Amino acid sequence: MPDISTTMIIVLCVAAAAAGWIDAVVGGGGLLLLPALLLGLPNAHPATVLGTNKAVAIVGTAGAAVTYARKAPVDVKLAVRIGLAALAGSMGGAALAGGISKDALRPLIMLVLVVVAGFVIFRPAFGTAPGATPVSRQRVLLAIGLAGLGIGFYDGLIGPGTGTFLVLALTALLHLDLVTASATAKIVNCCTNAGALAMFAYQGMVLWQLAALMAVFNLAGSMVGARMALKKGSGFVRGVLLTVVSALVIKLGFEQWG
């Protein structure tokens, strides 16, 4: 366990639970968890912060994936195909993550959030219902390339917002509603987390004791979030997405320029 106060450990565990809930509903729990880890581990190497984040997130993501798969109409075979591409992409991104500085992380996360918020706000009908026509082979291949390799690489390199990007990409490319896209994204995200975590672990960039403690809270939050999303539907998911993104843009902007 790193040398941090009991109070900070409690804060990190609460953040892990909240991030698990957010990640299960709309993706992007890392947008909360990563800044919390940067605050709690000010002297750690950025790659260690990213690696510890992955060790926490993979537990909650796996729990949410199982919950969704039991009740949502998920095409598991397609999700696994995209996930395998994402695993390869995330390992490549994680291999390069050692060169990322802490000073670069916050502006990058803010840019990601603003783009996501703008897209959802100006597309009010986005993801409210599944598409009526079958998805073409070209769209499936594009999903494997973009949502798999592309977003997987981003997840390994930086990480925050990956789940949200997956939900948006899968909804747009495969004509899914937001709940089904969230369910599919969890399976893919498990693969990206596994690939990145394997690389970080190989490099010795994971604080395992802290990650194990936080993972318990992350799993609890994710299970609650997945059940709520299944019960309340796409409108609820969209509302949470906009609320979370807006709050985090304000928070990070204050930290950057306040």
Side-chain angles (χ1 to χ4, degrees):
M1 183 74 71
D3 186 20
I4 56 178
S5 68
T6 302
T7 300
M8 182 53 67
I9 291 175
I10 293 172
V11 169
L12 290 175
C13 288
V14 172
W21 188 91
I22 294 167
D23 205 40
V25 177
V26 294
L31 292 165
L32 173 62
L33 188 55
L34 185 58
L37 283 167
L38 287 170
L39 176 66
L41 303 170
N43 299 317
H45 190 281
T48 299
V49 175
L50 292 169
T52 304
N53 175 60
K54 290 301 172 197
V56 175
I58 193 171
V59 176
T61 302
V66 171
T67 301
Y68 273 122
R70 287 175 175 172
K71 296 184 178 181
V74 183
D75 186 339
V76 176
K77 290 183 179 180
L78 176 57
V80 170
R81 288 168 64 191
I82 298 172
L84 290 175
L87 187 149
S90 66
M91 291 185 73
L96 301 177
I100 297 293
S101 69
K102 285 186 179 182
D103 293 336
L105 284 177
R106 192 176 290 120
L108 283 172
I109 294 170
M110 287 188 63
L111 177 61
V112 166
L113 285 167
V114 171
V115 171
V116 169
F119 185 87
V120 176
I121 288 171
F122 292 108
R123 294 288 299 275
F126 182 76
T128 56
T133 59
V135 178
S136 67
R137 176 180 173 82
Q138 288 76 15
R139 282 186 170 271
V140 171
L141 292 175
L142 187 58
I144 292 172
L146 179 60
L149 283 173
I151 297 178
F153 180 83
Y154 167 83
D155 191 32
L157 183 65
I158 302 174
T162 295
T164 305
F165 288 146
L166 283 171
V167 171
L168 293 172
L170 293 170
T171 303
L173 295 172
L174 301 179
H175 299 156
L176 303 176
D177 64 84
L178 284 171
V179 172
T180 304
S182 291
T184 306
K186 293 299 156 287
I187 298 174
V188 177
N189 210 179
C190 280
C191 296
T192 67
N193 284 339
L197 179 59
M199 186 59 66
F200 284 125
Y202 175 76
Q203 297 172 339
M205 295 294 187
V206 181
L207 299 174
W208 291 107
Q209 287 181 301
L210 178 61
L213 177 61
M214 293 174 66
V216 174
F217 291 85
N218 188 254
L219 176 61
S222 69
M223 299 288 280
V224 172
R227 290 190 176 97
M228 288 183 69
L230 286 166
K231 181 179 180 180
K232 295 180 179 292
S234 294
F236 170 72
V237 173
R238 174 184 164 80
V240 173
L241 176 61
L242 287 174
T243 301
V244 168
V245 169
S246 300
L248 286 170
V249 167
I250 294 170
K251 175 180 178 295
L252 291 174
F254 180 80
E255 290 177 354
Q256 184 73 15
W257 296 294

